[in-house]
Amino acid sequence: MLYGIAAATTALLLAAALAALLRLPALRFGILDRRRQRPLPLLGGVAVALVTCLVAAAGEWTRFAPLGSEIGRLLIAAGAVAVLGLVADVRRVKARFLVGGTAVAAACVVPYGDTGFLLGVPAVGWIVLVTVGFKALDHADALVGAVGVVTAFGVGVCAAAEVMDELAVLLSVLAAALTGFLMQNWHPARIGLGACGSLFVGFVLASSAVIIRAGHDPVSSVAVLYSLTALATADVLLVALSRRLAGRPLLRRGPDHVAHRLRRVGLTPQGVTVLLGLGAFAAVLVGVLVHMGWMAEARVLWVGGVALIAVFALLHIKPYGPRRQPSFPVGGTVRPPAQATSSQVGARLRVRNG
C-alpha cells in the first residue's frame, strides 16, 4: 500500500517535470501536431510512457512490487507500441502499419491459457479497436488524459478486486503519470501526447482489462469490457458512420469526432473535456460495479443505449464544409488571366488620380 502511494506520487511529479522539459526539444526538432489551430509539441507521450515503465520497473528491481512475467510482457509490448507511435509522430506512417503493429503486440499479451484461441482472437481485435480509439481521441486538449485517468482508476479497482496487485500498481502509476501530464496538457495545452502516448495509454488499458476478465463468463466479459471503454468505442463508431454517410475515406482525417461536434454547438474546450470525462466516469463506474457483482449485467445495456442515442444525435451536427468548386470546368484548359492593354492601364490611372 505504502509503495503504491510512493510510486504514484513519484510518477506524477516525474511526468509533470519531464513533459515540461520535452517541450523544447519537440519545438526544436519540429515534432508538432499541425492539424490544430496552433502547432502543438508532441513529446508528452514519451514522458507518460517512459515514466510509467521506469516506475513500474523500479518495483521489480527493488522487489517491492515484482511485476511477474505476464505484466512484464505487457510492459514490453506497450513500450513497443509507444515506439511505433513515436515513429509516427516524427515522420508520416500509414495507418495500416500502426494497426498491424498494435495487433502483433496485442497477440503477445492475450492470456490464451485462460481465454482459449477462439476467444483470444476477438480479444486481440478488441485491444486494437480500443487502442486506435484512444489515438483518435487525441485531437483535443486534455481529453485523452482525462479519460485515461478515469479508465485507469476503474480498471485498477477491478484488478485489485481480482487480487492482481502488480497490475493494480501499474494502473495506479499510469493514472498518476497522466495526472502529472495533464498539468501541461490542460487547455491551452503546452504539449500533447501524440501517437506515442495515446497508443501506449489505450494499449495498456485495453490489455489490462482483457487480462483481468480472462477466465470469466464471455457474455459478462463483453459487457464489462465495453462499459470500461464506452467513450472511445462510441467515438470510433461515430466517425465511421459519419464518413461512410458522407462518402469520405475511413482513414481520412477530419473534424468529425465527438469533441469537434460538441465544440460546434458552443461548448468551450474545457467544457468538452469535463463533459466527456464525466461520461467516461459514468460508463466506467457501471463496468466496475458489474465486474464486482454489485450490478446486473443488463445495466450495461443502458450504457450502450445512451451511447447509441448520443452517436445518432451527434450525426446531425454536420462537421464537413462544402467542397471547394473549381474555378474552371473539369477537363478544360486553364487560361491565364488576360493582360491589360496600355490604354486600359492609362484609363485606370486617370480615374484613380481623379
Side-chain angles (χ1 to χ4, degrees), residues 64-76:
F64 281 111
L67 296 176
S69 59
E70 191 173 48
I71 308 305
R73 188 166 61 249
L74 168 60
L75 270 182
I76 294 173

Side-chain angles (χ1 to χ4, degrees), residues 14-353:
L14 285 178
L18 189 57
L21 291 175
L22 289 175
R23 183 174 184 273
L24 292 179
L27 290 171
R28 172 67 178 81
F29 295 104
I31 307 175
L32 307 171
D33 183 357
R34 304 182 187 277
R35 295 171 297 168
R36 308 195 186 194
Q37 294 180 348
R38 54 186 179 81
L40 183 68
L42 285 182
L43 290 183
V46 175
V48 172
L50 189 60
V51 168
T52 301
C53 292
L54 288 179
V55 173
E60 173 71 24
W61 295 333
T62 60
R63 308 306 298 175
F64 281 111
L67 296 176
S69 59
E70 191 173 48
I71 308 305
R73 188 166 61 249
L74 168 60
L75 270 182
I76 294 173
V81 171
V83 171
L84 180 62
L86 179 59
V87 174
D89 288 332
V90 173
R91 57 185 303 174
R92 187 178 298 274
V93 174
K94 293 185 177 180
R96 62 173 177 266
F97 292 114
L98 293 178
V99 173
T102 304
V104 172
C108 296
V109 300
V110 170
Y112 299 99
D114 295 322
T115 64
F117 180 77
L118 292 179
L119 294 178
V121 172
V124 170
W126 186 82
I127 292 174
V128 173
L129 174 66
V130 173
T131 303
V132 172
F134 268 85
K135 180 183 181 298
L137 286 178
D138 188 33
H139 57 267
D141 294 348
L143 183 55
V144 174
V147 175
V149 168
V150 169
T151 308
F153 273 120
V155 180
V157 169
C158 295
E162 295 292 322
V163 199
M164 296 180 175
D165 296 335
E166 302 85 357
L167 188 55
V169 170
L170 172 62
L171 291 166
S172 67
V173 168
L174 175 61
L178 284 172
T179 303
F181 166 74
L182 280 173
M183 296 179 184
Q184 302 292 330
N185 188 238
W186 192 258
H187 184 79
R190 292 173 52 81
I191 192 169
L193 274 177
C196 174
S198 56
L199 289 175
F200 176 83
V201 172
F203 185 85
V204 171
L205 294 176
S207 301
S208 299
V210 167
I211 292 172
I212 292 168
R213 290 300 303 181
H216 288 74
D217 175 63
V219 176
S220 63
S221 293
V222 169
V224 172
L225 292 176
Y226 166 72
S227 191
L228 289 174
T229 57
L231 181 62
T233 52
D235 186 68
V236 172
L237 176 62
L238 172 64
V239 171
L241 287 176
S242 178
R243 294 178 185 177
R244 176 69 175 177
L245 293 174
R248 294 169 63 93
L250 181 60
L251 300 180
R252 178 187 294 178
R253 295 173 178 174
D256 48 8
H257 294 269
V258 173
H260 291 136
R261 296 170 193 261
L262 292 177
R263 287 296 308 279
R264 282 181 173 266
V265 298
L267 269 68
T268 64
Q270 299 93 326
V272 169
T273 300
V274 172
L275 178 62
L276 294 181
L278 290 175
F281 173 78
V284 168
L285 179 61
V286 172
V288 172
L289 294 177
V290 171
H291 173 78
M292 300 182 73
W294 295 350
M295 183 178 286
E297 300 167 8
R299 298 298 177 88
V300 177
L301 294 177
W302 286 96
V303 177
V306 171
L308 283 177
I309 292 173
V311 166
F312 285 114
L314 291 171
L315 278 175
H316 289 83
I317 303 173
K318 302 303 180 183
Y320 311 116
R323 292 185 178 180
R324 299 171 61 183
Q325 297 296 328
S327 57
F328 51 89
V330 178
T333 58
V334 183
R335 296 181 179 178
Q339 299 294 328
T341 63
S342 58
S343 59
Q344 290 174 332
V345 173
R348 290 173 186 174
L349 289 174
R350 286 193 297 272
V351 171
R352 182 178 301 175
N353 296 332

